Amino acid sequence: MKPRVGVLALQGGFAAHAAILHSLGARVDEIRKPQQLASIDALVIPGGESTTMSMLLERSGLLGPLSERLEAGMGVLGTCAGMILLAAEVVDGRPDQHCLGLVDIAVRRNAYGTQIESFEADIAVDGLDAPFHAVFIRAPAVERVGAGVDVLARHGDRPVLCRSGPATVAAFHPELSNDTRLHTRFLAGL
Ligand code: GLN
């Protein structure tokens, strides 16, 4: 059975994730309404702007139902803004910004500064034979990692790929590297 994977499509870089997942054989649903959550096996929360996505989650009525599905153990991949939304604690967020609190990490928004907003780096990822070329765009920095969170990759000292149970979060954009290994691994874990 092909897994049915939702891509949260309220804002941000959902289309590139959807295209990769589709190319890997998943059935893909762009999620914009609470009713759509019932039919998916897993979810990707893309990069974009976490404050805007938070507001749209609230307005669309998705926030509560999504939180319930995630608490019940649905597989989820969050990239960049998706990492921020899934974190337990956000530093430099908006006061009214929601945290889904699924991964016990603290992340600082826009931690790499506003001048050098974007960079790329080859990072070693646990379980991958060759480095992954990671694209960082106004990326968050992980400042605290709680018990039960595995760090799968670092850039310098900073964790940039973490896993906690069924949730994987990346500070970078794996959908922009023309490298499907992390999406393949996500689907294989479902
Ligand atoms: N800086 C953005 C935020 O705070 C995240 C950037 C991204 O997703 N590329 O949500």
Side-chain angles (χ1 to χ4, degrees):
M1 261 291 269
K2 288 182 177 184
R4 190 155 184 162
V5 182
V7 180
L8 188 66
L10 297 173
Q11 189 266 339
F14 55 87
H17 279 291
I20 292 177
L21 293 164
H22 185 72
S23 79
L24 294 173
R27 291 177 295 172
V28 182
D29 287 351
E30 292 188 358
I31 303 295
R32 297 188 178 86
K33 294 182 180 149
Q35 309 83 275
Q36 295 177 283
L37 291 176
S39 51
I40 56 172
D41 304 310
L43 183 73
V44 173
I45 304 183
E49 179 47 59
S50 59
T51 53
T52 307
M53 250 187 261
S54 167
M55 185 186 72
L56 294 173
L57 277 171
E58 207 178 319
R59 278 198 198 157
S60 61
L62 268 164
L63 187 63
L66 174 58
S67 203
E68 277 170 31
R69 284 279 337 246
L70 292 172
E71 294 292 339
M74 178 169 67
V76 62
L77 172 66
T79 61
C80 204
M83 172 190 245
I84 297 171
L85 282 164
L86 288 165
E89 194 186 332
V90 178
V91 183
D92 274 357
R94 272 177 58 126
D96 58 353
Q97 172 166 11
H98 295 285
C99 288
L100 292 164
L102 208 71
V103 180
D104 187 17
I105 54 174
V107 293
R108 181 179 293 275
R109 287 179 62 225
N110 303 327
Y112 295 89
T114 50
Q115 286 183 335
I116 306 166
E117 289 192 333
S118 152
F119 65 96
E120 302 184 12
D122 288 329
I123 56 170
V125 176
D126 272 12
L128 297 185
D129 294 342
F132 194 95
H133 188 71
V135 178
F136 293 83
I137 304 171
R138 300 183 69 219
V142 177
E143 297 197 333
R144 181 186 62 77
V145 176
V149 178
D150 294 323
V151 175
L152 303 180
R154 293 178 191 271
H155 176 252
D157 289 343
R158 286 175 167 168
V160 293
L161 181 67
C162 299
R163 186 171 54 207
S164 173
T168 303
V169 286
F172 56 93
H173 286 261
E175 78 284 10
L176 297 181
S177 295
N178 219 359
D179 183 335
T180 57
R181 288 177 295 167
L182 292 180
H183 290 83
T184 300
R185 183 196 266 197
F186 172 62
L187 292 176
L190 300 181

